[in-house]
Each structure stands twice: as structure tokens, then as C-alpha cells.
Amino acid sequence: MPVENMIVTPWEVKGEIDYDKLIEQFGTEPITPELLEKIRRHTGELHLQLRRKIFFSHRDLDWILGRYEGGERFVLYTGRGPSGAVHIGHLLPWIFTRHLQEKFRTRLYFQMTDDEKFLIRPDLTLEKTEYYTKENSLDLIALGFQPGETLIMPDTRCARTFYNMALEIAKHVNFSTGRAVFGFEESSNIGIVFFPAIQAVPCFLESMLTGEKVPTLIPAAIDQDPYWRMTRDVAPRLGYPKPAQIHGKFLPSLGRKEKMSASLPETAIYTTDSPETAERKIMNAFTGGRATVEEQRRLGANPEICPIYFYEYFLFVEDDAQIGRIFQDCRSGKLLCGDHKRSLAESVSKFLVRHQELREKARDRLDEYLVDDQFLEMLRR
Ligand code: TYM
């Protein structure tokens, strides 16, 4: 597969993604059948995102599970850069994280990098990132995260707790490593050059607050991996366990061969889109279909490049037998793209109506989840 155009950094994902190549380039491990079996022992039936290899790669997941089996706990850590509305791609790692929280009964540290988005997006003010922090938190609460064990931490509200640890981390990373890992340029502002130390902090937060050495597992799409490469190098020097990761694939956009991205709003479905808007976007989507109905009936379509099929595979069709049938029906020409789009639009619509209801209910519950320095200080032992 040609991968020359593939770019995967925390701030840019472009081109056709070759996930095997990423495992090689980033030096991560594939999730093997043995590891899946080990997970199954604790979770029962495997989550859709594991069964379908949407979470496909890891670092030290086997190690963290081994410790867990020996009676030691771990915590979860993931996050969001609150730069706008949440799209359904963002929901993927969060849905999976919620599953892990439920099965392993762990605390989740959820970082809102309002500082990061302020620094990299010329159009964003701190007032706006604060607004999106709250709006995006509603999406998390709507997904059913446990109150009390889910701490949503906006960086600007947790700065006092984060700053000293960020200094410790930053002191061990020189500019040339930062440039190699994150692609900083002469024109990068100096805030963003320091910022990776802030995203590293929650990897050590539970250990820092409790004085125990508690490892952290980070579920996220693989674009966030550069942060963890840097953090894992620093961890032993600070005497903390290296953070473990489980890496997910990207939900593609509704266009051709790109990940779902907020910078292409017509090809992304936001959790705040009305069902009509979502339907319009889906009806205008790229597909793996043929130019005419006659050709498609005769030659079949290609679900392997089709966002409509991917959305069902990643999120909207839970039943494995059913998704298998859909694949076959696309291939054989039995299922036409118009009908397929309508069927997806219906599922998405149902999902949005329910999610938006839960999202509105969550407005009164923000205080149960959003934390600040004072709250974190109370956890310190
Ligand atoms: P952000 O806001 O860019 O993305 C939030 C989460 O969504 C994942 N993601 C996707 N997953 C599937 N399909 C997609 N199309 C897609 N696009 C984005 C991202 O991998 C991420 O997990 N710097 C971070 C915020 C952050 C964070 C963390 C993320 C702080 N600490 C720890 C993960 C883990 C950011 O801007 O994410």
C-alpha cells in the first residue's frame, strides 16, 4: 500500500493510513490473539472495538494486565482538546474507555487540553476553549462515565497541580527530541514547545497524589502516541512506571480516504448535528459504489473503501453476523448505496436523538465531573 502521503501527528492526520506501517514506525506492538484472550478473561465477551481490531496496537498492555492479575491496580487516562464540537470519531476511544472503566473498575483521569488548543489554533480564545470544555464534557457524561471515578481536568483549572510535575518532565526533554517527536518548526510558538510536558503529567498523577507507584493505561487513537513516546523515556528518570497504551484506528471522514476531522465539517458528523443535517451529510458521502445501478448490480461495490460500511463496522452495527452479511451484500451488488446510506442515516439519527437527550440532562451534572486544583489537592495523601 502506498504510504508516502501518510502523516500521523497529534496535530495532523493525513493520507491513507497503513496501520501495520505505523506499528513499525512508532515501535508499538500489535494486539495478538493471546493478548485478546487475556483481556477476555477479565471483561467477558470482547468489546466490538477489540473484536474488530479497531484497537489494534499497544505498549505494555500485557504487563499492566499481568500486574492486575497479581492484584495490583491501575488507572485510566485519556483526553480531549476542546477546540469545537465533538464528532463521532472522538467518541470511539471514549466508548471503549468507558467499557474499560466498567470492567476493571478503575479511576479515569480525563484531561481537557484547553491550553493546547488555545496555543495551536489562531482563532481560539481562552474563553472559547473554556466554553468547549464544558460542551465537550457533556458528551462524556452522556456516554455514562462513572461520577466520582471520572475526573475531567481542564489544564487551566489544574495548573497549580500540574505545573511542578510538568517542570520535572520538561527538564528531561531537550529541544531536538521535541522537534523530532512533534515536528516543531522555527515558527512554532514557545507555548506549544512546552505543552507536551503538560499532556504527560496525568500519566503520573495517581502515583504523584497517592505516593504509590500506580501504572496508567491510555486508550486513544494512535495520533496521540508521540506524547507517550516522550513520556515513557522520562518516566524511569522520575521513578514512575512507564504509561501503557492501547491505540485505536481513526474513524474515516464521509469523504474520500481521510480521517474524520473537525476541519472538514461537511464530512464529519458532530454529536450536536440535527438528524436532518447528519442525514444530508450521509446522503452526500463518498461510497465504494459503481457509477450506475446497473453496473453495481452486475459487478458489486467495494465496502473496503466505503465510509458508509466503515461507520456500521466501527460503531453502528453491533451484531457480527449482520455486519458480515452487509459486507457480502455490498460485494455482490445486492445492496445499493442509496439504500445503504438511508439505513445508516436511520441508525445515526436514532443515536443522535438519544445522545442529545442525555447530553442535555448532563448540564446539571457538570460539577460532579469537572475538577480543579482544590479537588486534586484533596486526593493527595
Ligand atoms: P483530540 O481532541 O484531537 O481528540 C480526542 C480523542 O479522539 C481521538 N480521535 C479519533 N478517534 C477515532 N477517530 C477519529 N477520526 C479521531 N479523531 C480524534 C484522539 O486520538 C483522542 O483520543 N491532545 C489531545 C487531548 C489529550 C489526550 C490525552 C488524548 C490530552 N491528554 C490523553 C488522549 C489521551 C487532543 O487534542 O485530542
Side-chain angles (χ1 to χ4, degrees), residues 20-21 34 39 62 95 112 117 127 152 249 254 256 261 266 275 310 353:
D20 291 335
K21 199 91 195 164
E34 294 74 42
I39 300 170
D62 43 355
I95 290 170
M112 284 284 183
K117 293 296 161 166
E127 288 71 32
I152 304 181
K249 295 181 182 167
L254 288 166
R256 199 184 250 273
S261 163
E266 268 308 301
F310 289 145
V353 168

Side-chain angles (χ1 to χ4, degrees), residues 10 77-81 87 89-90 92-94 111 113 116-117 195 199 218-224 227-228 249-251 259-260:
Y77 162 39
T78 195
R80 158 80 178 140
H87 60 58
H90 297 128
L92 286 178
W94 302 346
Q111 184 177 39
T113 52
E116 173 191 26
K117 293 296 161 166
F195 169 77
Q199 184 154 326
I218 308 168
I222 197 159
D223 59 330
Q224 298 298 309
Y227 288 109
W228 323 132
K249 295 181 182 167
F250 304 109
L251 184 73
K259 79 150 190 161
M260 184 171 280

Side-chain angles (χ1 to χ4, degrees), residues 67-300:
R67 280 178 58 115
Y68 182 77
E69 286 169 2
E72 308 227 25
R73 67 194 183 94
F74 65 90
V75 292
L76 293 165
Y77 162 39
T78 195
R80 158 80 178 140
S83 55
V86 160
H87 60 58
I88 57 176
H90 297 128
L91 296 184
L92 286 178
W94 302 346
I95 290 170
F96 183 62
T97 303
R98 203 202 77 83
H99 163 79
L100 293 178
Q101 181 181 56
E102 184 187 308
K103 296 294 175 182
F104 291 96
R105 294 201 197 86
T106 54
R107 171 171 292 166
L108 166 65
Y109 288 104
F110 192 100
Q111 184 177 39
M112 284 284 183
T113 52
D114 47 1
D115 48 353
E116 173 191 26
K117 293 296 161 166
F118 169 73
L119 287 165
I120 57 166
R121 286 267 305 264
D123 56 320
L124 282 180
T125 59
L126 284 170
E127 288 71 32
K128 275 195 190 155
T129 54
E130 192 184 337
Y131 168 78
Y132 287 125
T133 291
K134 290 196 178 137
E135 286 295 309
N136 295 177
S137 297
L138 300 177
D139 288 291
L140 281 173
I141 301 171
L143 292 179
F145 282 99
Q146 289 289 311
E149 283 300 353
T150 304
L151 313 187
I152 304 181
M153 311 179 298
D155 286 341
T156 54
R157 283 209 205 183
C158 300
R160 192 151 38 88
T161 315
F162 288 0
Y163 191 61
N164 284 14
M165 174 61 76
L167 286 177
E168 298 271 2
I169 295 163
K171 198 169 181 174
H172 292 288
V173 185
N174 62 33
F175 181 66
S176 91
T177 302
R179 186 170 45 194
V181 174
F182 297 99
F184 295 133
E185 290 168 2
E186 293 288 315
S187 59
S188 303
N189 71 55
I190 58 176
I192 202 66
V193 174
F194 177 71
F195 169 77
I198 298 277
Q199 184 154 326
V201 169
C203 297
F204 308 133
L205 198 55
E206 180 77 6
S207 299
M208 181 177 114
L209 294 173
T210 63
E212 296 167 30
K213 298 210 163 153
V214 185
T216 299
L217 173 64
I218 308 168
I222 197 159
D223 59 330
Q224 298 298 309
D225 189 69
Y227 288 109
W228 323 132
R229 261 178 274 157
M230 177 199 85
T231 313
R232 286 169 61 87
D233 275 353
V234 175
R237 298 199 224 169
L238 301 181
Y240 290 122
K242 290 185 178 186
Q245 288 94 54
I246 178 159
H247 302 110
K249 295 181 182 167
F250 304 109
L251 184 73
S253 80
L254 288 166
R256 199 184 250 273
K257 290 185 190 163
E258 296 289 350
K259 79 150 190 161
M260 184 171 280
S261 163
S263 55
L264 300 164
E266 268 308 301
T267 60
I269 296 172
Y270 296 96
T271 60
T272 46
D273 277 348
S274 66
E276 296 72 36
T277 301
E279 182 178 350
R280 186 194 69 233
K281 291 177 179 176
I282 291 169
M283 295 315 286
N284 289 333
F286 168 76
T287 72
R290 302 275 174 181
T292 65
V293 168
E294 184 279 322
E295 246 184 69
Q296 184 145 337
R297 288 266 186 238
R298 189 159 45 86
L299 301 168

